[in-house]
Short mmCIF file of all heavy atoms in Angstrom, two decimals:
data_model
loop_
_atom_site.label_atom_id
_atom_site.label_comp_id
_atom_site.label_asym_id
_atom_site.label_seq_id
_atom_site.Cartn_x
_atom_site.Cartn_y
_atom_site.Cartn_z
N GLN A 1 0.17 -4.18 20.40
CA GLN A 1 0.36 -5.33 19.52
C GLN A 1 -0.44 -5.19 18.23
O GLN A 1 0.01 -5.57 17.16
CB GLN A 1 -0.03 -6.61 20.25
CG GLN A 1 0.85 -6.94 21.44
CD GLN A 1 0.39 -8.18 22.18
OE1 GLN A 1 -0.53 -8.86 21.74
NE2 GLN A 1 1.01 -8.46 23.31
N ALA A 2 -1.64 -4.62 18.34
CA ALA A 2 -2.46 -4.42 17.14
C ALA A 2 -1.80 -3.44 16.19
O ALA A 2 -1.82 -3.63 14.96
CB ALA A 2 -3.85 -3.92 17.54
N VAL A 3 -1.20 -2.38 16.72
CA VAL A 3 -0.48 -1.42 15.87
C VAL A 3 0.70 -2.10 15.19
O VAL A 3 0.98 -1.88 14.01
CB VAL A 3 -0.03 -0.20 16.70
CG1 VAL A 3 0.89 0.70 15.87
CG2 VAL A 3 -1.23 0.59 17.19
N ASN A 4 1.41 -2.95 15.92
CA ASN A 4 2.55 -3.67 15.33
C ASN A 4 2.10 -4.59 14.20
O ASN A 4 2.77 -4.71 13.17
CB ASN A 4 3.27 -4.48 16.41
CG ASN A 4 3.93 -3.60 17.45
OD1 ASN A 4 4.12 -2.40 17.23
ND2 ASN A 4 4.26 -4.17 18.59
N VAL A 5 0.96 -5.25 14.39
CA VAL A 5 0.43 -6.12 13.33
C VAL A 5 0.02 -5.28 12.12
O VAL A 5 0.21 -5.71 10.96
CB VAL A 5 -0.77 -6.93 13.86
CG1 VAL A 5 -1.47 -7.67 12.72
CG2 VAL A 5 -0.30 -7.93 14.90
N PHE A 6 -0.52 -4.09 12.36
CA PHE A 6 -0.89 -3.22 11.25
C PHE A 6 0.35 -2.80 10.47
O PHE A 6 0.31 -2.66 9.24
CB PHE A 6 -1.63 -2.00 11.79
CG PHE A 6 -2.33 -1.20 10.72
CD1 PHE A 6 -2.89 -1.83 9.61
CD2 PHE A 6 -2.45 0.17 10.81
CE1 PHE A 6 -3.53 -1.11 8.62
CE2 PHE A 6 -3.08 0.91 9.83
CZ PHE A 6 -3.63 0.26 8.74
N TYR A 7 1.46 -2.59 11.15
CA TYR A 7 2.72 -2.30 10.45
C TYR A 7 3.11 -3.46 9.53
O TYR A 7 3.55 -3.24 8.40
CB TYR A 7 3.84 -2.03 11.46
CG TYR A 7 4.00 -0.58 11.81
CD1 TYR A 7 3.47 -0.08 12.98
CD2 TYR A 7 4.67 0.29 10.97
CE1 TYR A 7 3.60 1.25 13.31
CE2 TYR A 7 4.82 1.62 11.29
CZ TYR A 7 4.27 2.10 12.47
OH TYR A 7 4.40 3.42 12.78
N LYS A 8 2.95 -4.67 10.01
CA LYS A 8 3.29 -5.82 9.17
C LYS A 8 2.35 -5.91 7.97
O LYS A 8 2.77 -6.27 6.87
CB LYS A 8 3.21 -7.10 10.01
CG LYS A 8 4.20 -7.14 11.17
CD LYS A 8 4.10 -8.44 11.95
CE LYS A 8 4.98 -8.39 13.19
NZ LYS A 8 6.40 -8.21 12.87
N LEU A 9 1.08 -5.57 8.18
CA LEU A 9 0.12 -5.57 7.08
C LEU A 9 0.49 -4.54 6.03
O LEU A 9 0.48 -4.82 4.82
CB LEU A 9 -1.29 -5.31 7.62
CG LEU A 9 -2.40 -5.16 6.57
CD1 LEU A 9 -2.55 -6.44 5.76
CD2 LEU A 9 -3.71 -4.78 7.24
N VAL A 10 0.84 -3.34 6.47
CA VAL A 10 1.24 -2.29 5.53
C VAL A 10 2.52 -2.69 4.80
O VAL A 10 2.66 -2.47 3.59
CB VAL A 10 1.42 -0.95 6.27
CG1 VAL A 10 1.97 0.11 5.33
CG2 VAL A 10 0.10 -0.48 6.85
N HIS A 11 3.45 -3.29 5.52
CA HIS A 11 4.70 -3.75 4.89
C HIS A 11 4.41 -4.79 3.80
O HIS A 11 4.99 -4.75 2.71
CB HIS A 11 5.63 -4.33 5.95
CG HIS A 11 6.99 -4.66 5.44
ND1 HIS A 11 7.90 -5.40 6.16
CD2 HIS A 11 7.61 -4.35 4.27
CE1 HIS A 11 9.00 -5.53 5.46
NE2 HIS A 11 8.85 -4.92 4.31
N ALA A 12 3.50 -5.71 4.09
CA ALA A 12 3.14 -6.72 3.10
C ALA A 12 2.48 -6.09 1.88
O ALA A 12 2.76 -6.49 0.73
CB ALA A 12 2.20 -7.76 3.73
N LEU A 13 1.63 -5.09 2.09
CA LEU A 13 0.98 -4.42 0.96
C LEU A 13 2.00 -3.65 0.12
O LEU A 13 1.92 -3.65 -1.12
CB LEU A 13 -0.10 -3.47 1.49
CG LEU A 13 -1.34 -4.14 2.09
CD1 LEU A 13 -2.28 -3.09 2.66
CD2 LEU A 13 -2.06 -4.99 1.05
N ILE A 14 2.97 -3.00 0.76
CA ILE A 14 4.00 -2.28 0.01
C ILE A 14 4.83 -3.25 -0.81
O ILE A 14 5.16 -2.98 -1.98
CB ILE A 14 4.89 -1.47 0.98
CG1 ILE A 14 4.09 -0.34 1.61
CG2 ILE A 14 6.09 -0.89 0.24
CD1 ILE A 14 4.86 0.44 2.65
N ALA A 15 5.19 -4.38 -0.22
CA ALA A 15 5.96 -5.39 -0.96
C ALA A 15 5.15 -5.95 -2.13
O ALA A 15 5.69 -6.20 -3.21
CB ALA A 15 6.38 -6.52 -0.02
N LEU A 16 3.85 -6.12 -1.92
CA LEU A 16 3.00 -6.60 -3.01
C LEU A 16 2.89 -5.57 -4.13
O LEU A 16 2.94 -5.93 -5.32
CB LEU A 16 1.60 -6.93 -2.46
CG LEU A 16 0.58 -7.47 -3.47
CD1 LEU A 16 1.07 -8.79 -4.06
CD2 LEU A 16 -0.78 -7.65 -2.81
N ILE A 17 2.78 -4.29 -3.77
CA ILE A 17 2.74 -3.22 -4.78
C ILE A 17 4.05 -3.19 -5.56
O ILE A 17 4.07 -3.01 -6.78
CB ILE A 17 2.46 -1.87 -4.11
CG1 ILE A 17 1.03 -1.84 -3.55
CG2 ILE A 17 2.66 -0.72 -5.09
CD1 ILE A 17 0.73 -0.60 -2.74
N ALA A 18 5.17 -3.36 -4.84
CA ALA A 18 6.48 -3.37 -5.51
C ALA A 18 6.60 -4.55 -6.46
O ALA A 18 7.20 -4.45 -7.54
CB ALA A 18 7.59 -3.41 -4.47
N LEU A 19 6.02 -5.69 -6.09
CA LEU A 19 6.10 -6.87 -6.93
C LEU A 19 5.21 -6.75 -8.16
O LEU A 19 5.63 -7.07 -9.28
CB LEU A 19 5.68 -8.10 -6.11
CG LEU A 19 5.76 -9.45 -6.81
CD1 LEU A 19 7.19 -9.79 -7.19
CD2 LEU A 19 5.19 -10.55 -5.91
N VAL A 20 3.98 -6.27 -7.98
CA VAL A 20 3.05 -6.15 -9.10
C VAL A 20 3.43 -5.00 -10.03
O VAL A 20 3.35 -5.13 -11.25
CB VAL A 20 1.61 -5.97 -8.56
CG1 VAL A 20 0.63 -5.72 -9.70
CG2 VAL A 20 1.18 -7.19 -7.76
N GLY A 21 3.83 -3.87 -9.43
CA GLY A 21 4.16 -2.69 -10.24
C GLY A 21 5.63 -2.53 -10.54
O GLY A 21 6.11 -1.40 -10.69
N CYS A 22 6.35 -3.65 -10.64
CA CYS A 22 7.80 -3.59 -10.85
C CYS A 22 8.14 -2.92 -12.18
O CYS A 22 8.99 -2.03 -12.25
CB CYS A 22 8.39 -4.99 -10.77
SG CYS A 22 10.18 -5.05 -10.95
N ARG A 23 7.49 -3.34 -13.25
CA ARG A 23 7.79 -2.77 -14.57
C ARG A 23 7.41 -1.30 -14.64
O ARG A 23 8.13 -0.48 -15.23
CB ARG A 23 7.06 -3.55 -15.65
CG ARG A 23 7.55 -4.98 -15.82
CD ARG A 23 6.82 -5.67 -16.96
NE ARG A 23 7.30 -7.04 -17.17
CZ ARG A 23 6.82 -7.86 -18.10
NH1 ARG A 23 5.84 -7.45 -18.91
NH2 ARG A 23 7.32 -9.07 -18.22
N ARG A 24 6.29 -0.97 -14.04
CA ARG A 24 5.83 0.43 -14.07
C ARG A 24 6.79 1.34 -13.31
O ARG A 24 7.12 2.43 -13.77
CB ARG A 24 4.44 0.51 -13.46
CG ARG A 24 3.80 1.88 -13.57
CD ARG A 24 2.39 1.84 -13.05
NE ARG A 24 1.74 3.13 -13.15
CZ ARG A 24 0.51 3.38 -12.72
NH1 ARG A 24 -0.19 2.41 -12.17
NH2 ARG A 24 0.00 4.58 -12.84
N GLU A 25 7.26 0.88 -12.17
CA GLU A 25 8.21 1.69 -11.41
C GLU A 25 9.55 1.77 -12.11
O GLU A 25 10.23 2.79 -12.06
CB GLU A 25 8.38 1.10 -10.01
CG GLU A 25 9.20 1.97 -9.08
CD GLU A 25 9.21 1.46 -7.66
OE1 GLU A 25 8.60 0.39 -7.41
OE2 GLU A 25 9.82 2.12 -6.80
N ARG A 26 9.94 0.70 -12.81
CA ARG A 26 11.19 0.74 -13.56
C ARG A 26 11.13 1.77 -14.67
O ARG A 26 12.07 2.53 -14.89
CB ARG A 26 11.50 -0.65 -14.13
CG ARG A 26 12.88 -0.73 -14.79
CD ARG A 26 13.11 -2.06 -15.47
NE ARG A 26 12.99 -3.15 -14.53
CZ ARG A 26 12.07 -4.11 -14.60
NH1 ARG A 26 11.18 -4.10 -15.59
NH2 ARG A 26 12.02 -5.08 -13.71
N ARG A 27 9.99 1.83 -15.39
CA ARG A 27 9.83 2.85 -16.44
C ARG A 27 9.82 4.26 -15.85
O ARG A 27 10.37 5.20 -16.45
CB ARG A 27 8.54 2.59 -17.20
CG ARG A 27 8.55 1.35 -18.07
CD ARG A 27 7.39 1.36 -19.05
NE ARG A 27 6.10 1.39 -18.36
CZ ARG A 27 5.40 0.31 -18.05
NH1 ARG A 27 5.88 -0.89 -18.37
NH2 ARG A 27 4.24 0.41 -17.45
#
């Protein structure tokens, strides 16, 4: 269960990076 929660944490961080770095990734 702890590993599964860590997956959710990593997923949230990736989504946050995608949201913050949207313009940079688009360029």
Side-chain angles (χ1 to χ4, degrees):
Q1 295 177 6
V3 172
N4 294 343
V5 171
F6 194 34
Y7 268 100
K8 298 181 187 298
L9 175 62
V10 174
H11 188 192
L13 290 176
I14 292 176
L16 181 62
I17 292 173
L19 182 63
V20 175
C22 182
R23 293 183 179 180
R24 186 175 180 182
E25 188 173 2
R26 187 186 301 117
R27 291 194 300 267

